[in-house]
Amino acid sequence: MALREIRIQGDPVLNKVCRPVETLTPRLQELIDDMLDTMYEAQGVGLAAPQVGVLRRIVVIDVGEGPIVMINPEILETAGEQHGMEGCLSVPGKAAEVTRPNYVKAKALNENMEEFIIEGEELLARAICHELDHLDGHMYTEIAEGPLQDVEYDEEE
Ligand code: NI
């Protein structure tokens, strides 16, 4: 387990389409562990593999209810709409208004390469949409409504 460097907007790796995972090798298992560590260290609610420079369809999410690992995720259904501020670890210190579905149903493989279905509302729905966009090379800044705003961080305790 180790921290990985988070790539910042402007790095071309963030605009590429990621390849599906066919076999979960020890190397990719280590990647997932590192992505979780890196996400928690950065106090993010999600991280996609391209954000640490790996073009594979893997995301990790934790909206405060425990870690979710999604391999080869696909959105199956969406419903409703939510409006709110969104940020990204690859765009540090910034946030902007983004409209997302309020409900998302998705499927993915877990760390044992078993398929599971996940349903999320509000922040979880937003996080799933945001992270899956990364796998196709898209950033929230492309769909932001209005300018990016500076975010104030709490001082470190
Ligand atoms: Ni992001």
Side-chain angles (χ1 to χ4, degrees), residues 6 37-46 89 153-154 156-157:
I6 297 176
D37 285 352
T38 304
M39 173 182 75
Y40 288 125
E41 168 71 18
Q43 299 185 1
V45 299
L89 294 176
Y153 286 105
D154 294 337
E156 274 192 46
E157 288 167 15

Side-chain angles (χ1 to χ4, degrees), residues 2 11 20 22 31 33 49 52 55 76 79 83 88 92 94-95 97 99 102 104 107-108 120 125 136-137 139 141 151:
D11 188 320
E22 281 162 22
L31 168 70
D33 288 342
V52 293
L55 291 171
L76 301 173
H83 307 276
C88 178
K94 301 286 182 187
E97 176 94 14
T99 300
N102 197 50
V104 170
K107 69 171 183 178
D136 290 314
M139 303 280 291
T141 50
V151 177

